[in-house]
Amino acid sequence: MYGQLLKDGIILTTKYEQLADELREKIRLGTYKEGTTIPTEATLQEEYHLSRHTVRQAIALLVNEGYLRKERGSGTYVSKPENLPQRSHKTIGIIMTYLSDYIFPSIMRGVEQTLREQGYSLLLGSTNNDHQQERACLQQMMDQGVDGLIVEPTKSSQYNPNLAYYMTLKEAGIPLVMINAYYEELDLPHICVNDTRSGYLATNYLLAQQHEHLMLITKIDDLQGKYRMKGFVKALEQGKKTFAAEDILTYTTETKEAVIAQALARLNQSNEITGIVCYNDEIAHRLIQQLEAEGKRVPEDVSVVGNDDSPLSILSTPAITTLTHPKEAMGMLAAQWVTSGVPAEETFYYEPELIIRDSVKQQSAKH
Protein backbone atom coordinates (compact mmCIF):
# COMPACT_ATOMS: atom_id res chain seq x y z
CA MET A 1 0.00 0.00 0.00
CA TYR A 2 1.32 3.44 -0.88
CA GLY A 3 2.36 5.27 2.29
CA GLN A 4 2.99 8.89 3.17
CA LEU A 5 6.22 10.54 2.04
CA LEU A 6 8.11 13.43 3.58
CA LYS A 7 9.47 16.39 1.67
CA ASP A 8 11.63 18.87 3.63
CA GLY A 9 10.03 17.52 6.81
CA ILE A 10 6.43 18.22 5.70
CA ILE A 11 3.92 15.50 4.87
CA LEU A 12 2.65 15.99 1.33
CA THR A 13 -1.11 16.41 1.24
CA THR A 14 -2.04 15.27 -2.27
CA LYS A 15 -1.54 11.78 -3.67
CA TYR A 16 -0.20 12.95 -7.01
CA GLU A 17 2.47 15.08 -5.27
CA GLN A 18 3.48 12.05 -3.22
CA LEU A 19 3.87 9.95 -6.36
CA ALA A 20 5.73 12.75 -8.15
CA ASP A 21 8.14 12.99 -5.24
CA GLU A 22 8.77 9.24 -5.35
CA LEU A 23 9.41 9.24 -9.10
CA ARG A 24 11.60 12.34 -8.89
CA GLU A 25 13.74 10.66 -6.24
CA LYS A 26 14.18 7.54 -8.39
CA ILE A 27 15.33 9.76 -11.26
CA ARG A 28 17.87 11.53 -9.03
CA LEU A 29 19.24 8.25 -7.71
CA GLY A 30 19.48 6.71 -11.18
CA THR A 31 16.85 4.03 -10.63
CA TYR A 32 15.20 5.48 -13.73
CA LYS A 33 18.09 6.41 -15.99
CA GLU A 34 18.26 9.22 -18.52
CA GLY A 35 16.74 8.26 -21.85
CA THR A 36 14.84 5.22 -20.55
CA THR A 37 11.11 4.92 -20.08
CA ILE A 38 9.42 4.93 -16.70
CA PRO A 39 6.80 2.25 -15.88
CA THR A 40 3.50 2.56 -17.72
CA GLU A 41 0.53 4.37 -16.19
CA ALA A 42 -1.18 1.01 -15.59
CA THR A 43 1.90 -0.34 -13.77
CA LEU A 44 2.13 2.75 -11.57
CA GLN A 45 -1.59 2.53 -10.78
CA GLU A 46 -1.19 -1.05 -9.62
CA GLU A 47 2.07 -0.54 -7.71
CA TYR A 48 0.89 2.50 -5.75
CA HIS A 49 -2.84 1.76 -5.61
CA LEU A 50 -3.72 5.06 -7.25
CA SER A 51 -6.24 6.12 -9.83
CA ARG A 52 -5.34 6.73 -13.47
CA HIS A 53 -6.11 10.43 -13.03
CA THR A 54 -3.71 10.72 -10.06
CA VAL A 55 -0.90 9.00 -11.97
CA ARG A 56 -1.40 11.30 -14.94
CA GLN A 57 -1.30 14.37 -12.67
CA ALA A 58 2.03 13.22 -11.20
CA ILE A 59 3.54 12.59 -14.63
CA ALA A 60 2.31 15.96 -15.92
CA LEU A 61 3.97 17.69 -12.96
CA LEU A 62 7.34 16.03 -13.69
CA VAL A 63 7.03 16.80 -17.41
CA ASN A 64 6.47 20.44 -16.52
CA GLU A 65 9.52 20.42 -14.22
CA GLY A 66 11.68 18.90 -16.96
CA TYR A 67 12.30 15.51 -15.36
CA LEU A 68 10.19 13.62 -17.93
CA ARG A 69 9.15 13.97 -21.56
CA LYS A 70 6.27 12.22 -23.31
CA GLU A 71 6.56 10.76 -26.79
CA ARG A 72 3.28 9.85 -28.48
CA GLY A 73 2.95 6.14 -29.07
CA SER A 74 6.29 5.41 -27.43
CA GLY A 75 6.05 6.20 -23.71
CA THR A 76 7.30 8.59 -21.07
CA TYR A 77 11.07 9.08 -20.92
CA VAL A 78 13.51 10.43 -18.34
CA SER A 79 14.76 13.79 -19.63
CA LYS A 80 18.32 14.74 -20.38
CA PRO A 81 19.97 17.05 -17.82
CA GLU A 82 19.96 19.98 -20.24
CA ASN A 83 16.18 19.89 -20.27
CA LEU A 84 16.10 20.71 -16.57
CA PRO A 85 15.99 24.34 -15.37
CA GLN A 86 19.38 26.05 -15.45
CA ARG A 87 20.72 28.57 -12.95
CA SER A 88 22.50 31.78 -13.84
CA HIS A 89 24.80 31.89 -10.80
CA LYS A 90 27.22 29.65 -8.93
CA THR A 91 25.98 28.06 -5.72
CA ILE A 92 27.73 25.95 -3.07
CA GLY A 93 25.59 23.95 -0.69
CA ILE A 94 26.61 23.63 2.96
CA ILE A 95 25.04 20.93 5.12
CA MET A 96 25.96 21.02 8.81
CA THR A 97 24.62 19.07 11.76
CA TYR A 98 23.92 22.39 13.48
CA LEU A 99 24.30 25.98 12.29
CA SER A 100 23.58 28.29 15.21
CA ASP A 101 25.55 27.09 18.23
CA TYR A 102 28.78 25.68 19.66
CA ILE A 103 31.70 25.80 17.16
CA PHE A 104 29.60 25.78 13.99
CA PRO A 105 29.20 29.57 13.50
CA SER A 106 33.00 29.89 13.44
CA ILE A 107 33.28 27.17 10.78
CA MET A 108 30.58 28.92 8.76
CA ARG A 109 32.46 32.24 8.89
CA GLY A 110 35.46 30.62 7.26
CA VAL A 111 33.32 29.04 4.55
CA GLU A 112 31.33 32.18 3.82
CA GLN A 113 34.35 34.47 3.66
CA THR A 114 36.13 32.32 1.09
CA LEU A 115 33.10 31.55 -1.10
CA ARG A 116 31.84 35.11 -1.25
CA GLU A 117 35.28 36.36 -2.27
CA GLN A 118 35.00 34.00 -5.25
CA GLY A 119 31.48 35.11 -6.19
CA TYR A 120 29.57 32.06 -5.00
CA SER A 121 26.20 32.19 -3.31
CA LEU A 122 25.43 29.87 -0.39
CA LEU A 123 22.63 27.41 0.20
CA LEU A 124 22.52 26.33 3.84
CA GLY A 125 21.02 23.21 5.40
CA SER A 126 20.98 21.76 8.91
CA THR A 127 20.36 18.10 9.74
CA ASN A 128 20.18 18.34 13.55
CA ASN A 129 22.21 15.11 13.34
CA ASP A 130 19.18 13.27 11.94
CA HIS A 131 19.31 11.08 8.83
CA GLN A 132 15.81 11.98 7.65
CA GLN A 133 16.61 15.68 7.84
CA GLU A 134 19.90 15.04 6.05
CA ARG A 135 17.94 13.38 3.26
CA ALA A 136 15.67 16.43 2.96
CA CYS A 137 18.75 18.70 2.78
CA LEU A 138 20.32 16.56 0.05
CA GLN A 139 17.09 16.60 -1.95
CA GLN A 140 17.00 20.38 -1.67
CA MET A 141 20.62 20.68 -2.83
CA MET A 142 19.97 18.39 -5.81
CA ASP A 143 16.80 20.27 -6.74
CA GLN A 144 18.75 23.55 -6.73
CA GLY A 145 21.57 22.07 -8.81
CA VAL A 146 24.43 23.18 -6.55
CA ASP A 147 27.92 23.46 -8.06
CA GLY A 148 29.53 21.85 -5.02
CA LEU A 149 28.74 20.63 -1.55
CA ILE A 150 30.41 20.90 1.88
CA VAL A 151 28.98 18.38 4.35
CA GLU A 152 29.44 17.64 8.00
CA PRO A 153 28.34 14.00 8.20
CA THR A 154 25.32 12.97 10.23
CA LYS A 155 25.99 10.23 12.81
CA SER A 156 29.15 9.30 10.94
CA SER A 157 29.92 6.13 12.91
CA GLN A 158 26.53 4.59 12.09
CA TYR A 159 25.14 3.19 8.85
CA ASN A 160 23.78 6.03 6.76
CA PRO A 161 20.67 5.28 4.64
CA ASN A 162 21.52 8.29 2.43
CA LEU A 163 24.73 6.93 0.92
CA ALA A 164 23.07 6.54 -2.49
CA TYR A 165 22.52 10.30 -2.65
CA TYR A 166 26.23 10.92 -2.16
CA MET A 167 27.09 8.35 -4.83
CA THR A 168 24.72 10.12 -7.25
CA LEU A 169 26.39 13.48 -6.55
CA LYS A 170 29.84 11.98 -6.97
CA GLU A 171 28.93 10.26 -10.25
CA ALA A 172 27.46 13.53 -11.53
CA GLY A 173 30.87 15.14 -11.01
CA ILE A 174 29.70 17.56 -8.34
CA PRO A 175 32.62 18.46 -5.99
CA LEU A 176 31.91 17.25 -2.46
CA VAL A 177 34.04 17.80 0.66
CA MET A 178 33.36 16.48 4.15
CA ILE A 179 34.49 18.19 7.34
CA ASN A 180 34.97 17.07 10.97
CA ALA A 181 34.24 13.45 9.99
CA TYR A 182 33.46 11.33 6.92
CA TYR A 183 31.52 8.26 5.83
CA GLU A 184 33.90 5.32 5.86
CA GLU A 185 31.99 3.61 3.04
CA LEU A 186 32.71 6.45 0.59
CA ASP A 187 35.96 7.66 -0.94
CA LEU A 188 35.41 11.40 -0.61
CA PRO A 189 37.79 14.23 0.30
CA HIS A 190 37.61 15.11 3.98
CA ILE A 191 39.13 17.62 6.38
CA CYS A 192 39.27 16.61 10.06
CA VAL A 193 41.07 17.09 13.33
CA ASN A 194 43.24 14.20 14.46
CA ASP A 195 40.70 13.14 17.09
CA THR A 196 42.74 10.16 18.27
CA ARG A 197 45.51 12.61 19.12
CA SER A 198 43.01 14.87 20.90
CA GLY A 199 41.86 12.05 23.15
CA TYR A 200 45.43 11.01 23.76
CA LEU A 201 46.66 14.49 24.72
CA ALA A 202 43.74 15.10 27.09
CA THR A 203 44.26 11.79 28.85
CA ASN A 204 48.03 12.00 28.97
CA TYR A 205 47.85 15.46 30.53
CA LEU A 206 45.69 14.17 33.39
CA LEU A 207 48.08 11.27 33.90
CA ALA A 208 51.00 13.72 33.99
CA GLN A 209 49.19 15.58 36.76
CA GLN A 210 49.22 12.37 38.82
CA HIS A 211 45.58 11.41 38.25
CA GLU A 212 45.57 7.63 38.60
CA HIS A 213 41.89 6.83 37.91
CA LEU A 214 40.13 8.50 35.00
CA MET A 215 36.67 8.59 33.47
CA LEU A 216 35.79 9.18 29.81
CA ILE A 217 32.49 10.64 28.62
CA THR A 218 32.23 10.31 24.84
CA LYS A 219 29.74 10.36 21.99
CA ILE A 220 29.49 7.15 19.98
CA ASP A 221 27.26 7.99 17.02
CA ASP A 222 30.00 9.96 15.27
CA LEU A 223 33.60 9.21 14.35
CA GLN A 224 35.01 12.03 16.48
CA GLY A 225 33.85 10.27 19.65
CA LYS A 226 35.08 6.91 18.43
CA TYR A 227 38.57 8.22 17.76
CA ARG A 228 38.76 10.30 20.95
CA MET A 229 37.99 7.11 22.85
CA LYS A 230 40.80 5.39 20.95
CA GLY A 231 43.20 8.11 22.11
CA PHE A 232 41.99 7.76 25.70
CA VAL A 233 42.65 4.03 25.71
CA LYS A 234 46.02 4.46 23.98
CA ALA A 235 47.26 6.94 26.61
CA LEU A 236 46.20 4.68 29.47
CA GLU A 237 47.85 1.70 27.83
CA GLN A 238 51.13 3.58 27.36
CA GLY A 239 50.92 4.84 30.94
CA LYS A 240 50.31 1.26 32.13
CA LYS A 241 47.03 2.29 33.75
CA THR A 242 43.85 0.27 33.88
CA PHE A 243 40.22 1.35 33.93
CA ALA A 244 36.90 -0.24 34.77
CA ALA A 245 34.27 -0.78 32.09
CA GLU A 246 31.99 1.52 34.08
CA ASP A 247 34.49 4.38 33.70
CA ILE A 248 33.75 4.85 29.99
CA LEU A 249 30.35 6.47 29.60
CA THR A 250 28.92 6.74 26.08
CA TYR A 251 25.98 8.63 24.66
CA THR A 252 24.29 9.48 21.37
CA THR A 253 22.55 12.58 20.06
CA GLU A 254 19.32 11.35 21.65
CA THR A 255 20.79 10.38 25.05
CA LYS A 256 23.04 13.39 25.68
CA GLU A 257 20.86 14.74 28.48
CA ALA A 258 21.13 11.52 30.49
CA VAL A 259 24.89 11.01 30.41
CA ILE A 260 25.69 13.74 32.95
CA ALA A 261 23.48 12.06 35.54
CA GLN A 262 25.25 8.76 34.80
CA ALA A 263 28.63 10.41 35.33
CA LEU A 264 27.56 11.85 38.69
CA ALA A 265 26.23 8.48 39.79
CA ARG A 266 29.52 6.81 38.87
CA LEU A 267 31.52 9.44 40.77
CA ASN A 268 29.40 8.82 43.84
CA GLN A 269 30.15 5.09 43.54
CA SER A 270 33.91 5.51 43.11
CA ASN A 271 35.88 8.00 45.17
CA GLU A 272 39.04 7.00 43.30
CA ILE A 273 38.13 8.84 40.08
CA THR A 274 39.77 12.27 40.10
CA GLY A 275 40.05 13.13 36.40
CA ILE A 276 37.47 13.20 33.59
CA VAL A 277 38.04 13.46 29.85
CA CYS A 278 34.96 14.87 28.10
CA TYR A 279 33.96 14.48 24.46
CA ASN A 280 33.77 18.25 24.05
CA ASP A 281 33.52 21.54 25.93
CA GLU A 282 29.74 21.45 25.97
CA ILE A 283 29.70 18.22 27.99
CA ALA A 284 32.54 19.48 30.19
CA HIS A 285 30.65 22.72 30.90
CA ARG A 286 27.44 20.89 31.79
CA LEU A 287 29.33 18.45 33.98
CA ILE A 288 31.09 21.22 35.90
CA GLN A 289 27.76 22.96 36.55
CA GLN A 290 26.18 19.78 37.91
CA LEU A 291 29.23 18.86 39.98
CA GLU A 292 29.14 22.24 41.68
CA ALA A 293 25.39 21.91 42.24
CA GLU A 294 26.14 18.71 44.18
CA GLY A 295 28.86 20.37 46.24
CA LYS A 296 31.87 19.02 44.33
CA ARG A 297 34.55 21.53 43.33
CA VAL A 298 36.44 21.69 40.04
CA PRO A 299 39.39 21.26 40.02
CA GLU A 300 39.86 20.77 43.79
CA ASP A 301 37.79 17.56 43.94
CA VAL A 302 37.61 16.55 40.28
CA SER A 303 39.66 17.69 37.27
CA VAL A 304 37.95 18.05 33.88
CA VAL A 305 39.30 18.32 30.31
CA GLY A 306 37.11 19.31 27.36
CA ASN A 307 37.72 19.50 23.61
CA ASP A 308 37.24 21.92 20.66
CA ASP A 309 38.33 25.20 22.36
CA SER A 310 34.77 26.53 22.08
CA PRO A 311 33.51 29.80 23.61
CA LEU A 312 32.08 27.68 26.45
CA SER A 313 35.60 26.74 27.54
CA ILE A 314 36.29 30.38 28.44
CA LEU A 315 32.83 31.28 29.72
CA SER A 316 32.82 28.35 32.12
CA THR A 317 33.94 28.83 35.72
CA PRO A 318 36.60 27.58 36.06
CA ALA A 319 37.83 28.05 32.49
CA ILE A 320 38.17 24.62 30.86
CA THR A 321 41.42 22.99 29.84
CA THR A 322 40.73 21.88 26.27
CA LEU A 323 42.13 20.96 22.84
CA THR A 324 42.36 23.23 19.81
CA HIS A 325 39.96 23.02 16.86
CA PRO A 326 40.79 25.06 13.72
CA LYS A 327 37.15 26.14 13.04
CA GLU A 328 37.50 29.10 10.64
CA ALA A 329 40.63 27.65 9.02
CA MET A 330 38.79 24.38 8.41
CA GLY A 331 35.87 26.26 6.85
CA MET A 332 38.19 28.25 4.59
CA LEU A 333 40.07 25.14 3.44
CA ALA A 334 36.83 23.27 2.73
CA ALA A 335 35.62 26.19 0.61
CA GLN A 336 38.92 26.28 -1.29
CA TRP A 337 38.75 22.55 -1.94
CA VAL A 338 35.14 22.47 -3.14
CA THR A 339 35.69 25.33 -5.60
CA SER A 340 39.05 24.17 -6.96
CA GLY A 341 38.44 20.42 -7.10
CA VAL A 342 40.57 17.86 -5.25
CA PRO A 343 41.28 14.14 -5.81
CA ALA A 344 38.56 11.83 -4.49
CA GLU A 345 40.71 10.41 -1.69
CA GLU A 346 42.38 13.66 -0.60
CA THR A 347 42.50 14.10 3.19
CA PHE A 348 43.84 16.69 5.58
CA TYR A 349 44.15 16.36 9.35
CA TYR A 350 44.80 19.23 11.74
CA GLU A 351 46.99 18.32 14.70
CA PRO A 352 45.42 19.45 18.00
CA GLU A 353 47.25 21.23 20.78
CA LEU A 354 46.48 21.29 24.49
CA ILE A 355 45.25 24.58 25.95
CA ILE A 356 45.87 24.60 29.70
CA ARG A 357 43.37 26.61 31.73
CA ASP A 358 41.93 26.21 35.23
CA SER A 359 39.90 22.98 35.31
CA VAL A 360 42.77 20.60 36.10
CA LYS A 361 44.70 20.35 39.36
CA GLN A 362 47.85 18.37 39.97
CA GLN A 363 47.32 15.52 42.42
CA SER A 364 49.69 14.89 45.26
CA ALA A 365 52.10 12.10 44.35
CA LYS A 366 51.50 8.87 46.22
CA HIS A 367 54.45 7.29 47.95
Side-chain angles (χ1 to χ4, degrees), residues 104-295:
F104 305 105
S106 297
I107 295 174
M108 287 300 305
R109 280 196 297 272
V111 172
E112 290 174 338
Q113 177 183 338
T114 302
L115 291 182
R116 285 182 174 147
E117 287 174 354
Q118 299 184 41
Y120 284 87
S121 60
L122 308 177
L123 183 62
L124 305 181
S126 174
T127 70
N128 292 309
N129 218 30
D130 176 82
H131 285 140
Q132 191 171 25
Q133 293 185 52
E134 179 190 44
R135 176 177 174 178
C137 287
L138 288 167
Q139 288 178 337
Q140 180 190 22
M141 301 297 172
M142 295 171 81
D143 284 344
Q144 294 294 321
V146 294
D147 297 289
L149 200 55
I150 298 171
V151 177
E152 183 189 34
T154 293
K155 296 183 177 178
S156 52
S157 70
Q158 297 182 354
Y159 166 70
N160 189 322
N162 300 319
L163 293 179
Y165 285 88
Y166 290 104
M167 289 299 298
T168 298
L169 289 162
K170 182 179 179 181
E171 290 172 2
I174 297 173
L176 202 160
V177 175
M178 296 199 163
I179 60 174
N180 279 331
Y182 54 94
Y183 295 125
E184 294 178 306
E185 300 87 348
L186 302 175
D187 290 326
L188 290 171
H190 55 270
I191 303 168
C192 302
V193 175
N194 184 341
D195 287 300
T196 301
R197 182 66 176 168
S198 293
Y200 176 87
L201 290 174
T203 308
N204 197 55
Y205 179 64
L206 286 172
L207 294 177
Q209 303 307 306
Q210 307 299 322
H211 291 271
E212 297 284 331
H213 299 279
L214 305 182
M215 174 192 290
L216 172 69
I217 305 174
T218 194
K219 199 167 184 282
I220 57 167
D221 55 355
D222 62 36
L223 288 181
Q224 296 100 305
K226 171 182 174 180
Y227 288 123
R228 290 171 189 180
M229 183 192 303
K230 182 178 179 180
F232 175 83
V233 174
K234 180 180 179 180
L236 289 177
E237 182 180 18
Q238 288 189 359
K240 301 188 184 304
K241 304 295 182 183
T242 60
F243 62 93
E246 297 81 9
D247 294 339
I248 293 185
L249 302 182
T250 62
Y251 68 96
T252 64
T253 301
E254 293 76 20
T255 62
K256 179 170 68 173
E257 300 302 324
V259 75
I260 300 298
Q262 295 172 13
L264 294 175
R266 178 58 183 159
L267 288 172
N268 289 330
Q269 291 173 356
S270 175
N271 292 327
E272 292 186 328
I273 298 173
T274 60
I276 304 175
V277 176
C278 293
Y279 168 76
N280 63 13
D281 295 334
E282 180 186 12
I283 290 296
H285 177 67
R286 292 187 182 195
L287 178 63
I288 289 171
Q289 288 182 317
Q290 290 301 312
L291 285 169
E292 293 183 345
E294 293 203 355

Side-chain angles (χ1 to χ4, degrees), residues 19 48 76 81 91 135 159 306 332:
L19 177 58
Y48 294 105
T76 303
T91 302
R135 176 177 174 178
Y159 166 70
M332 294 174 69

